[in-house]
């Protein structure tokens, strides 16, 4: 999958949750979740499938607490599709290839960069989160104790992650502007990713399926 | 009898999976000692810092902070004795004001509000941050955020202070401020271990040099002696600071490596009176 055109990967990742929400529950969402997990497993069980499952699990817990079984199933499978699809996409989509593909189609470099930065920030974010946990523990923050205590601890972990990330986005935007990335000049990438006709057709087909599902839902 | 060590490593080893990051490293640091931990990229310096803070436990040997074996303690418990500042320390700030953030550590350790306030004030004072105490950490320039993180570690008033690259991104004036605060803290009996690639800062601030080479302890001796021997440093990817090189080239008596001492010696050698 890694070698597919970035647009194909994006289309697939977008189509899965769309269909999960449009197709009748719970069978439709069960199908899309299965496909998403299948893709994740193909990309690597430990590296992709396990994180996808782990990320989706807490949602189920909340749903079980708040809703009855049919609702939990319907919503849970849809959320699972979204989460698994996103984790899969982040794993298989190389941000630099996406930028090249977008620029080759005439997108502005800035838009392409912002898009890719969002995706490539996921592993960076994880490393930063780990650093912050370690730093706060070395300042005496205990991850144990009463619920109230742990909630307060969460603040000391989540806030710096958010603040420093926001701050950085600010700085990056500034750095881009100073380098003139805002100009609308079109750049020709050195090696735009190949986009075989078959893949192109598959993307359109997927789009049509989504539209059909939408129409089917409305009428 | 010598003071019992504040920090002691005994044949400590650590591997990340198959990558051996540290092997059989032994040394002890007494209260009041100022140690530079040197070595090229990947030598194992940060790993050693993580062992001292209890974030990692040695696979072999022991790491002791005072009479505590780090294996028996979690990092948040070791924080009573070990203060630390890591690279990217500015990313750990989160409180609404610098003062609140500096208070976080002492408060987490359970000190009373009066003691927390005293420690925060002292730490801010030591780093000349008092004027910024009421500001939001992210309104400060990055260099001052790094200083705020260091103030947070000083506020723990730890017996052992370990710093990983504390001077990255700091200008000369701020580096001098950091050096001053560290001196003050050590004068109260703390042991100091500083990882740095900034040999000029090390020469001015620290006295003893420990060099790691691919996870092994290569040298452990007075920093001045180490910095005066370029031929030993070079294979380890280290270049002595200009003052040390000058002392060696001019064969100044005592081979001073600090600017002030070198200036005095030079003036004496030249037969002139040093300016005050
Ligand atoms: N989380 C990790 N997983 C696997 N290997 C690691 C990890 N962290 C460090 N290493 C490896 O352990 C060795 C020592 O790394 P360490 O970070 O301690 O070096 P360092 O002396 O701090 O280097 P630098 O000067 O670049 O900060 C290196 O070979 C490094 O690649
Ligand atoms: Mg390091």
């Amino acid at each position: 999958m890694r070698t597919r055109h970035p647009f194909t990967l994006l289309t697939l990742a977008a189509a899965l949750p769309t269909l999960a929400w449009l197709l009748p529950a719970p069978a439709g969402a069960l199908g899309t979740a299965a496909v998403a997990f299948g893709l994740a497993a193909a990309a690597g069980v430990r590296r992709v499938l396990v994180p996808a499952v782990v990320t989706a699990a807490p949602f189920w817990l909340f749903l079980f607490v708040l809703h009855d079984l049919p609702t939990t199933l319907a919503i849970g499978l849809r959320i699972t599709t979204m989460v698994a699809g996103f984790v899969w996409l982040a794993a298989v989509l190389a941000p630099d290839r996406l930028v090249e593909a977008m620029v080759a189609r005439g997108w502005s470099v800035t838009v392409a960069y912002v898009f890719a930065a969002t995706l490539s920030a996921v592993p960076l974010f994880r490393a930063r989160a780990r650093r912050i946990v370690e730093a706060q523990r070395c300042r005496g923050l205990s991850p144990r104790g009463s619920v109230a205590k742990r909630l307060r601890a969460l603040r000391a972990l989540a806030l710096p992650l958010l603040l420093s990330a926001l701050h950085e986005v600010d700085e990056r935007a500034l750095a881009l502007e100073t380098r003139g990335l805002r100009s609308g000049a079109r750049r020709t990438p050195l090696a735009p990713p190949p986009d075989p006709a078959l893949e192109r057709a598959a993307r359109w087909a997927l789009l049509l399926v989504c539209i059909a599902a939408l129409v089917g839902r409305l009428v | 009898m010598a003071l019992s060590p504040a920090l002691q490593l005994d044949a400590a080893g650590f591997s990340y999976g198959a990558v051996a990051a540290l092997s059989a490293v032994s040394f002890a640091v007494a209260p009041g000692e100022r140690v530079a931990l040197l070595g090229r990229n990947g030598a194992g310096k940060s790993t050693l810092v993580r062992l001292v803070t209890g974030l990692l436990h040695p696979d072999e040997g022991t790491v002791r902070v005072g009479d505590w074996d780090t294996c028996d303690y979690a990092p948040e418990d070791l924080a009573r004795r070990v203060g630390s500042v890591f690279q990217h320390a500015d990313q750990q700030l989160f409180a609404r004001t610098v003062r609140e953030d500096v208070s976080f550590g002492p408060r987490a350790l359970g000190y009373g509000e009066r003691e927390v306030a005293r420690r925060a004030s002292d730490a801010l004072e030591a780093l000349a941050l008092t004027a910024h105490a009421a500001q939001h950490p992210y309104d400060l320039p990055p260099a001052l955020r790094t200083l705020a993180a260091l103030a947070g570690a000083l506020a723990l008033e730890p017996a052992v202070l370990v710093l990983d690259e504390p001077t990255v991104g700091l200008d000369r004036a701020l580096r001098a401020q950091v050096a001053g605060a560290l001196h003050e803290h050590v004068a109260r009996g703390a042991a100091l271990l500083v990882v740095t690639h900034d040999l000029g800062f090390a020469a001015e601030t620290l006295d003893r040099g420990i060099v790691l080479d691919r996870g092994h302890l290569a040298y452990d001796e007075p920093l001045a002696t180490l910095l005066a021997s370029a031929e030993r440093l070079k294979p380890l990817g280290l270049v002595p600071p200009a003052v040390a090189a000058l002392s060696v080239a001019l064969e100044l008596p005592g081979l001073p490596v600090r600017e002030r001492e070198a200036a005095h010696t030079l003036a004496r050698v030249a037969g002139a009176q040093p300016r005050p």
Side-chain angles (χ1 to χ4, degrees):
Chain A
M1 265 299 171
R2 206 174 291 277
T3 55
R4 298 271 170 251
H5 191 272
F7 287 179
T8 309
L9 302 175
L10 273 178
T11 313
L12 201 51
L16 281 172
T18 308
L19 290 173
W21 245 276
L22 290 177
L23 296 176
L30 187 64
T32 53
V35 173
F37 278 134
L39 288 169
V45 172
R46 270 194 51 167
R47 207 175 56 86
V48 188
L49 183 61
V50 172
V53 172
V54 168
T55 317
F59 291 103
W60 284 93
L61 203 69
F62 280 115
L63 288 170
F64 268 121
V65 173
L66 296 173
H67 297 287
D68 57 357
L69 188 63
T71 320
T72 298
L73 267 182
I75 304 181
L77 286 170
R78 287 167 176 164
I79 291 181
T80 302
T81 305
M82 273 175 71
V83 168
F86 188 78
V87 172
W88 167 77
L89 183 69
V92 295
L93 185 63
D96 49 340
R97 274 172 59 90
L98 176 62
V99 172
E100 280 172 357
M102 290 173 95
V103 174
R105 290 291 159 80
W107 291 55
S108 108
V109 181
T110 323
V111 175
Y113 172 80
V114 169
F115 218 88
T118 314
L119 287 169
S120 67
V122 172
L124 279 180
F125 221 62
R126 205 176 302 152
R128 176 182 304 207
R130 205 185 46 225
R131 271 206 303 270
I132 289 171
V133 172
E134 292 181 351
Q136 306 300 46
R137 288 186 74 187
C138 288
R139 293 211 271 170
L141 177 86
S142 174
R144 295 161 303 192
S146 65
V147 173
K149 244 182 165 170
R150 270 180 285 172
L151 280 179
R152 237 174 303 140
L154 193 62
R155 225 176 75 92
L157 302 177
L159 266 182
L161 192 60
L162 213 72
L163 285 173
S164 65
L166 285 177
H167 192 75
E168 196 157 285
V169 168
D170 220 35
E171 275 171 0
R172 273 201 217 183
L174 208 67
L176 284 183
E177 274 176 34
T178 41
R179 277 166 215 159
L181 255 189
R182 240 166 27 154
S183 68
R186 205 176 260 206
R187 279 144 228 243
T188 311
L190 293 175
D195 191 10
L198 192 65
E199 267 187 56
R200 226 180 282 208
R203 286 205 299 270
W204 283 113
L206 208 50
L207 191 64
L208 286 178
V209 170
C210 287
I211 293 172
L214 180 65
V215 172
R217 191 68 196 265
L218 292 178
V219 296
Chain B
M1 199 188 94
L3 284 171
S4 64
L7 171 67
Q8 182 158 24
L9 276 77
D10 244 316
F14 184 85
S15 306
Y16 296 99
V19 183
L22 284 177
S23 350
V25 173
S26 301
F27 65 85
V29 184
E33 263 197 294
R34 298 176 294 196
V35 182
L37 185 59
L38 311 172
R40 69 170 84 239
N41 294 121
K45 305 179 296 294
S46 295
T47 305
L48 199 152
V49 168
R50 296 159 67 79
L51 287 179
V52 174
T53 54
L55 287 168
L56 298 175
H57 292 150
D59 301 331
E60 281 160 24
T62 55
V63 176
R64 284 175 191 284
V65 177
D67 56 352
W68 290 359
D69 185 327
T70 57
C71 283
D72 301 332
Y73 294 85
E76 56 270 24
D77 302 321
L78 273 170
R80 295 189 181 281
R81 292 192 175 180
V82 181
S84 47
V85 176
F86 299 97
Q87 284 165 292
H88 308 287
D90 56 316
Q91 293 174 357
Q92 76 193 32
L93 309 175
F94 72 100
R96 270 173 220 282
T97 66
V98 173
R99 182 183 297 278
E100 273 303 299
D101 211 285
V102 173
S103 308
F104 174 79
R107 196 168 282 147
L109 293 185
Y111 291 105
E113 272 314 302
R114 185 190 291 260
E115 175 68 4
V116 169
R118 183 197 61 78
R119 285 171 174 235
S121 293
D122 285 358
L124 290 168
E125 183 79 27
L127 285 160
L129 284 173
T130 309
H132 301 289
Q135 278 180 280
H136 194 285
Y138 286 90
D139 286 339
L140 298 181
L144 288 185
R145 283 208 297 280
T146 305
L147 249 60
L150 177 56
L154 286 178
L156 296 172
E157 301 193 347
V160 176
L161 186 60
V162 277
L163 311 175
D164 201 342
E165 297 277 359
T167 59
V168 170
L170 303 190
D171 65 19
R172 224 180 132 83
L174 289 181
R175 286 210 310 258
Q177 231 161 58
V178 169
L182 295 182
H183 273 224
E184 220 176 274
H185 188 67
V186 168
R188 285 191 235 127
L192 178 62
L193 185 65
V194 181
V195 172
T196 186
H197 289 283
D198 180 352
L199 293 189
F201 174 81
E204 297 294 333
T205 319
L206 310 165
D207 319 301
R208 175 175 160 197
I210 292 181
V211 184
L212 290 178
D213 182 26
R214 280 162 288 177
H216 293 270
L217 195 145
Y219 299 112
D220 178 359
E221 56 190 80
L223 191 57
T225 319
L226 194 64
L227 294 181
S229 105
E231 71 285 356
R232 283 192 299 157
L233 291 179
K234 204 171 215 171
L236 299 171
L238 300 169
V239 180
V243 178
L246 187 77
S247 284
V248 171
L250 296 178
E251 297 178 6
L252 290 181
L255 296 179
V257 296
R258 291 186 180 150
E259 286 176 19
R260 185 186 289 265
E261 288 164 21
H264 274 262
T265 311
L266 262 178
R268 214 175 50 236
V269 168
Q273 278 299 310
R275 290 180 190 212

